[in-house]
Amino acid sequence: MVKVTLWGLGAMGSGIARLLRQRNYPIAAVWEQNKDKLNRSLGEVLDDQGPAGPDITEFNGKFPEKGNLLIIATGSTVLEVAPLIRHGVKAGQNVLTIAEEMAYPWASNPEIARTLDQEAKEQGVRVLGTGINPGFVLDALVGFITTPCTQVDKVYARRVNDLSPFGPTVLRTQGVGTSPEEFNRGLETGAIVGHVGFPESVYMIAAMLGWEISRIDQVRDPIISHVSRTTPYISIEPGQVAGCNHRAKAYDGGGNLVIELEHPQQICPELAGVDTGDHITIEGTPKIQMDIKPEIPGGTGTIAVAVNVIPKLLQAEPGLLTMNKLVIPSYGR
Amino acid sequence: MVKVTLWGLGAMGSGIARLLRQRNYPIAAVWEQNKDKLNRSLGEVLDDQGPAGPDITEFNGKFPEKGNLLIIATGSTVLEVAPLIRHGVKAGQNVLTIAEEMAYPWASNPEIARTLDQEAKEQGVRVLGTGINPGFVLDALVGFITTPCTQVDKVYARRVNDLSPFGPTVLRTQGVGTSPEEFNRGLETGAIVGHVGFPESVYMIAAMLGWEISRIDQVRDPIISHVSRTTPYISIEPGQVAGCNHRAKAYDGGGNLVIELEHPQQICPELAGVDTGDHITIEGTPKIQMDIKPEIPGGTGTIAVAVNVIPKLLQAEPGLLTMNKLVIPSYGR
């Protein structure tokens, strides 16, 4: 049975560790920088009634024997995690990461993607980025649901979610609690980013449908609240920003709008009369309208997708993979 | 590019032929028993503005060179199509069929499934049964949508469709136009069968989720109309049967109900205030509620699924395959 090395024990890494333990995946090592967690046992930090497991250490480069699995839950971008992935690949480890940009790294960093693919093939290992979104809702699921279509002209998908459970870091990157002016300044400085994953989802859908994409336009608008909204982490007043309405439009070589993705994220959407959900419209023959209400929750969803795809990842051909290259995944192991 | 031999040119076979031609798949031969179609060109029979293509003949056993694809659209059961599949496998052809029971042939005929799997492996070819249902809506899609779940306790799926477009053969097997007494007699004699595919869908879902199934109970109830309903093929009066409400419940080894599938089929459901749709409920963590409204149409859906999975079938390992063993399929080629 595959031994897992886990790099990163934040909210997502901890959730992945708990689920791996529930499923009886052996965890060989856990690396983390947070001083509060270092030199304590995994069981103590997770407090999940499980065995003690390994002590948490800083990265030490000691991997179990070749053919095992490194899971990286430390950052969102290809530039952040590519050096970590390389440590694993060089040691003959398969690598799975929830870094959003790694869901389709050819979108943001095609040169790095090419190199990682080559190195993974040389070592005979697999590298995959995944998560709920990008990785599932706005891309792999969109592609899969086109299977009963004789013709597809355009896809439109919209993920409407609730940021209320999330802490200060996430709220800051979505501009929650800013004034509309601060929101726009935040977009300019890069402090406010909205959703990370639209180019990745667009290129994955395009790969599945055999489409060429010539241009992606992204727009981030503040969701200005007309009511007071309060979560455990923040309170906002009317006129302040409750979240970010982030949209992407992708065009084919002929300039036709072929993929339209929307991901409005805000705190307390119910106070503005907004129902959360995941919605996919396939314009084609037949037209397909799929609605998932409420939305598949992001945190649990990412943890589950990461752990559930492990068997499909390990049976795939070596190289840099994306979700659309896996055998149809499902719950289980 | 793969050359296709098509066996069966009824409604489904003709639709598959049209879509194959639209996608520029070369069609090497077409075999059909219907005297009205024999010895005419495929283009003439399809009347699709395409090239003449091959002349339609009775089965003659002349396959193109090894490694090509035989598509069988002649029947619903394993017993009907297994001998045809064997002709293809022995000639080194990959085989795809829309026979419902072949979507998971281990459910109805495990011995034949084992033999077909062994023969396909010996010949280095792939055999797959597929279609909209079984094959997609009530099984592969159900399994795929559990990917974001850390826990799955039970799945419940319901396909509510409209039989109005269908002709006399389909209406007869669903009991449309019978009296309630005739319906019950039809069930006893086997003239009325309801949906073909529940055991197949149950076992495919169970395989995806790693569940053992100990028992499947099926119930077929007449849908008795309270209003007059008329289609191009039939008219029924209040008190007559408008269709068949077919359900299946599957239990695990502990006797727990773990998979519940429903497929009520009737003419003019809108006259009884019934909305059509495909509905999936995953009871677990998180709970997922997916609704597709209206339902993905059966005819177009089966034709599209059959043609869209060809690339994924040809890249799979040799053997007898089922949809859950393919790389995530999608529209395209």
Side-chain angles (χ1 to χ4, degrees):
Chain A
M1 185 182 305
V2 63
K3 283 184 202 147
V4 175
T5 303
L6 181 59
W7 200 335
L9 199 64
M12 290 298 100
S14 299
I16 289 170
R18 280 194 190 89
L19 188 54
L20 288 169
R21 285 155 65 92
Q22 281 175 30
R23 303 269 178 94
N24 295 316
Y25 279 104
I27 300 181
V30 180
W31 299 326
E32 165 63 43
Q33 290 187 306
N34 182 328
K35 301 288 181 213
D36 296 341
K37 294 176 182 169
L38 280 176
N39 305 316
R40 296 165 64 197
S41 80
L42 178 59
E44 184 195 337
V45 169
L46 295 180
D47 193 20
D48 66 352
Q49 325 290 322
D55 278 356
I56 297 160
T57 68
E58 291 188 282
F59 168 64
N60 62 18
K62 288 183 195 148
F63 288 96
E65 60 274 29
K66 290 187 177 188
N68 283 296
L69 176 65
L70 169 65
I71 298 181
I72 299 171
T74 61
S76 292
T77 68
V78 169
L79 292 178
E80 284 172 285
V81 299
L84 286 60
I85 293 171
R86 284 209 162 108
H87 278 296
V89 169
K90 280 184 185 154
Q93 307 293 298
N94 299 291
V95 181
L96 186 157
T97 177
I98 57 167
E100 286 94 329
E101 284 186 1
M102 280 299 300
Y104 210 86
W106 290 274
S108 62
N109 292 277
E111 274 305 321
I112 295 178
R114 247 187 300 274
T115 310
L116 285 175
D117 183 47
Q118 190 183 329
E119 291 173 356
K121 282 175 174 154
E122 284 166 10
Q123 291 287 338
V125 298
R126 298 127 196 103
V127 174
L128 174 75
T130 191
I132 192 69
N133 190 43
F136 191 81
V137 173
L138 292 183
D139 37 46
L141 179 58
V142 172
F144 185 58
I145 199 63
T146 65
T147 305
C149 295
T150 58
Q151 176 64 32
V152 177
D153 301 312
K154 185 194 156 186
V155 304
Y156 168 59
R158 180 173 165 84
R159 176 162 166 81
V160 184
N161 70 334
D162 182 359
L163 292 178
S164 303
F166 291 91
T169 310
V170 169
L171 298 183
R172 212 161 30 233
T173 63
Q174 304 296 330
V176 178
T178 61
S179 69
E181 297 72 28
E182 288 165 342
F183 184 94
N184 289 326
R185 261 201 310 280
L187 288 182
E188 282 168 24
T189 64
I192 296 173
V193 295
H195 171 58
V196 178
F198 278 134
E200 290 72 19
S201 290
V202 163
Y203 281 106
M204 193 192 303
I205 294 170
M208 293 179 87
L209 304 187
W211 289 352
E212 293 285 336
I213 299 299
S214 64
R215 190 173 100 240
I216 303 176
D217 293 340
Q218 294 193 57
V219 177
R220 296 165 185 83
D221 284 329
I223 300 173
I224 299 167
S225 191
H226 298 289
V227 295
S228 300
R229 307 189 193 190
T230 298
T231 78
Y233 303 100
I234 199 166
S235 284
I236 67 163
E237 296 304 316
Q240 284 189 304
V241 172
C244 178
N245 184 14
H246 194 169
R247 287 109 66 203
K249 293 185 180 185
Y251 301 84
D252 69 10
N256 306 300
L257 174 59
V258 287
I259 301 173
E260 195 167 0
L261 304 177
E262 301 186 354
H263 192 6
Q265 306 193 73
Q266 62 193 298
I267 59 167
C268 310
E270 73 285 0
L271 295 180
V274 172
D275 291 326
T276 63
D278 295 314
H279 310 280
I280 297 172
T281 307
I282 309 298
E283 301 281 1
T285 308
K287 176 172 176 169
I288 295 177
Q289 178 62 45
M290 167 188 284
D291 299 287
I292 298 173
K293 294 188 224 173
E295 90 280 17
I296 301 174
T300 308
T302 290
I303 290 162
V305 170
V307 175
N308 285 331
V309 300
I310 292 173
K312 303 303 188 291
L313 172 63
L314 297 180
Q315 76 184 60
E317 293 289 310
L320 173 57
L321 300 165
T322 49
M323 283 291 279
N324 58 308
K325 299 293 186 188
L326 297 189
V327 166
I328 302 176
S330 51
Y331 162 82
R333 56 161 297 178
Chain B
M1 186 182 304
V2 62
K3 282 184 204 149
V4 176
T5 303
L6 180 60
W7 200 337
L9 199 65
M12 291 298 100
S14 297
I16 289 170
R18 281 193 190 89
L19 189 54
L20 288 169
R21 284 155 65 94
Q22 280 176 29
R23 303 269 179 92
N24 295 315
Y25 279 104
I27 299 180
V30 180
W31 299 326
E32 164 62 44
Q33 290 187 304
N34 184 329
K35 302 285 180 215
D36 295 341
K37 296 176 182 170
L38 282 176
N39 305 316
R40 297 166 62 198
S41 79
L42 178 60
E44 184 194 338
V45 171
L46 295 180
D47 193 21
D48 66 352
Q49 325 290 323
D55 278 355
I56 298 161
T57 67
E58 291 190 281
F59 168 64
N60 61 18
K62 287 185 196 147
F63 289 96
E65 61 274 27
K66 290 187 178 190
N68 282 297
L69 177 65
L70 168 65
I71 299 181
I72 299 171
T74 60
S76 292
T77 69
V78 169
L79 292 178
E80 284 172 285
V81 298
L84 286 60
I85 293 171
R86 282 207 164 109
H87 277 297
V89 170
K90 279 183 186 154
Q93 306 294 298
N94 300 290
V95 181
L96 186 156
T97 176
I98 57 167
E100 286 94 329
E101 285 187 358
M102 280 299 299
Y104 210 86
W106 290 274
S108 63
N109 293 276
E111 273 306 320
I112 295 177
R114 247 187 300 275
T115 310
L116 285 175
D117 183 47
Q118 191 184 327
E119 291 172 356
K121 281 174 176 155
E122 283 166 10
Q123 291 287 340
V125 298
R126 299 127 197 101
V127 174
L128 174 75
T130 192
I132 192 69
N133 189 44
F136 190 81
V137 173
L138 292 184
D139 38 46
L141 180 58
V142 172
F144 185 59
I145 198 64
T146 64
T147 306
C149 294
T150 58
Q151 176 64 32
V152 177
D153 300 312
K154 185 194 157 187
V155 305
Y156 168 58
R158 181 173 163 85
R159 176 161 167 81
V160 184
N161 71 335
D162 182 359
L163 292 178
S164 303
F166 291 90
T169 311
V170 169
L171 299 184
R172 213 159 31 230
T173 63
Q174 304 296 329
V176 179
T178 61
S179 69
E181 296 72 28
E182 289 165 342
F183 184 93
N184 289 325
R185 262 202 309 280
L187 289 182
E188 282 167 24
T189 64
I192 296 175
V193 294
H195 171 57
V196 177
F198 278 135
E200 291 71 21
S201 290
V202 163
Y203 281 106
M204 193 192 302
I205 293 170
M208 294 180 86
L209 304 187
W211 290 351
E212 292 286 338
I213 298 299
S214 64
R215 192 174 98 239
I216 303 176
D217 293 340
Q218 295 192 58
V219 177
R220 297 164 184 83
D221 284 330
I223 300 172
I224 299 168
S225 191
H226 298 289
V227 296
S228 301
R229 308 188 192 190
T230 298
T231 78
Y233 303 100
I234 199 165
S235 284
I236 68 165
E237 295 305 315
Q240 284 189 305
V241 172
C244 178
N245 184 14
H246 193 168
R247 288 108 67 204
K249 293 185 179 186
Y251 299 84
D252 68 9
N256 305 298
L257 174 59
V258 288
I259 301 173
E260 195 169 358
L261 304 177
E262 301 186 353
H263 192 7
Q265 306 194 73
Q266 62 192 297
I267 58 167
C268 311
E270 72 285 359
L271 295 181
V274 172
D275 291 325
T276 64
D278 295 313
H279 310 281
I280 298 173
T281 307
I282 309 298
E283 301 279 2
T285 309
K287 177 173 175 168
I288 296 177
Q289 178 62 46
M290 167 188 283
D291 299 286
I292 298 173
K293 293 188 223 169
E295 90 281 16
I296 302 173
T300 310
T302 289
I303 290 162
V305 170
V307 175
N308 285 331
V309 301
I310 292 174
K312 303 303 188 291
L313 173 62
L314 297 180
Q315 76 184 62
E317 293 289 312
L320 173 58
L321 299 166
T322 49
M323 283 291 279
N324 59 308
K325 299 293 186 187
L326 297 189
V327 167
I328 302 176
S330 51
Y331 162 83
R333 55 161 299 178

